[in-house]
Amino acid sequence: MNERTGGRPPGAPLIVLAGLQKAYHTPAGEFYALKAIDLTLQQGEFVALLGRSGAGKSTLINMVAGIDRPTAGEIWVDGHAVHRMSEGQLTRWRGRSVGVVFQSFQLMPMLTCAQNVALPMDFAGLYGSPRQQRARACALLAAVGVAEHADKRPAAVSGGQRQRVAIARALANDPIFLAADEPTGNLDSQTADAVFAVFQQLVAAGKTILMATHDRELASRVSRVLRIEDGRIVEDVQLTSAAEGRALVAEMDA
Ligand SMILES: Nc1ncnc2c1ncn2[C@@H]1O[C@H](COP(=O)(O)OP(=O)(O)O)[C@@H](O)[C@H]1O
Ligand SMILES: [Mg+2]
């Protein structure tokens, strides 16, 4: 099987979740953070996952991104049976095929911005020599509007700039989809807007994005909104216009 393209027939959904469940072991027993999630995402969709704190957003993101493993059910991403992968396969697949963006950026403080972006290329053994990897890292930093900060450490740039660097890092190995867990949660609304605009550009260029968020205003501007409550998807709405998006999301209890 081709690691980059999977075995997905043309036109088939990019992501399929079937009967997905995730239980955490707690002192009080098993706690099901996800309860039988069935979900299909097409390539090119920009999907917001909306829900209260504790609803299961991060758990779902972590399942789809291969960061954590399901208790039951199936996760298919681009033709790959993620639920069947060994730890080694999962690590390898994740490094090459998934881009993840976190609320807290999670950049390596001792590395420059360009080195942070080149790191996943190095881990995956992609994009040639260190020089070539650096050139690609700088091009990605330029694409998200922070080219001039390539040689600074993350602590020397603003929060919005750090998140742009983290997005460039997520794009390092040209993943088929991006998973973003409250990527604007630590940013003021104007900076959040600018980071959101970067996601919109990526979707326009054909990427697929699943973004957990608390921000209804941003959620109203994507192509599809899922609302999760107590580990279940309780609403799934395709948005066709911004006005409709605002109206629908304003009504949601999240
Ligand atoms: N490692 C864990 N161990 C036990 N319970 C957890 C763990 N991670 C998350 N949970 C619980 O699972 C539920 C969903 O959490 P989470 O996916 O982080 O929600 P959200 O991202 O929507 O705030 C919450 O009740 C949370 O307390
Ligand atoms: Mg969360």
Side-chain angles (χ1 to χ4, degrees):
M1 187 164 63
N2 182 324
E3 287 244 346
R4 301 304 308 268
T5 60
R8 187 168 62 100
L14 180 66
I15 296 173
V16 178
L17 308 180
L20 183 66
Q21 300 185 31
K22 176 64 181 179
Y24 292 114
H25 304 287
T26 72
E30 302 275 281
F31 172 76
Y32 278 81
L34 296 178
K35 299 160 184 153
I37 302 271
D38 293 301
L39 182 65
T40 299
L41 303 190
Q42 300 295 335
Q43 187 162 3
E45 282 193 297
F46 188 179
V47 181
L49 185 59
L50 204 62
R52 292 185 179 158
S53 183
K57 301 182 295 299
S58 295
T59 304
L60 184 58
I61 294 271
N62 290 347
M63 295 292 112
V64 182
I67 293 169
D68 201 359
R69 321 212 58 153
T71 303
E74 298 185 357
I75 303 171
W76 295 87
V77 179
D78 197 21
H80 294 284
V82 177
H83 55 287
R84 282 201 219 116
M85 289 181 187
S86 67
E87 284 304 321
Q89 286 172 323
L90 197 60
T91 304
R92 202 174 140 80
W93 169 77
R94 199 172 58 224
R96 291 179 168 234
S97 307
V98 187
V100 189
V101 178
F102 300 99
Q103 179 173 1
S104 54
F105 323 129
Q106 301 202 7
L107 297 167
M108 307 282 277
M110 300 306 286
L111 300 182
T112 65
C113 293
Q115 287 169 337
N116 267 284
V117 177
L119 200 59
M121 303 177 208
D122 198 29
F123 280 149
L126 293 173
Y127 300 106
S129 68
R131 249 184 90 138
Q132 289 166 316
Q133 290 171 346
R134 179 185 157 83
R136 176 172 167 78
C138 290
L140 289 167
L141 288 169
V144 297
V146 287
E148 69 275 27
H149 302 303
D151 296 318
K152 294 180 186 165
R153 288 186 181 171
V157 305
S158 72
Q161 289 161 344
R162 273 180 231 175
Q163 196 57 304
R164 287 167 186 264
V165 174
I167 294 169
R169 179 185 56 186
L171 295 170
N173 292 333
D174 195 24
I176 188 111
F177 90 102
L178 292 183
D181 195 353
E182 309 217 20
T184 62
N186 279 344
L187 307 176
D188 63 73
S189 64
Q190 202 178 345
T191 310
D193 236 62
V195 165
F196 185 78
V198 173
F199 285 128
Q200 285 177 311
Q201 281 168 22
L202 294 173
V203 171
K207 295 287 183 207
T208 307
I209 299 182
L210 175 62
M211 175 183 76
T213 185
H214 263 34
D215 189 324
R216 290 180 200 218
E217 205 282 314
L218 293 184
S220 71
R221 290 154 54 191
V222 303
S223 63
R224 181 176 173 190
V225 178
L226 303 172
R227 189 164 68 82
I228 185 168
E229 195 177 287
D230 293 334
R232 293 182 203 278
I233 291 172
V234 294
E235 259 177 298
D236 181 352
V237 186
Q238 308 273 348
L239 304 182
T240 52
S241 74
E244 182 204 39
R246 278 192 297 277
L248 279 166
V249 172
E251 277 174 17
M252 284 187 181
D253 174 30

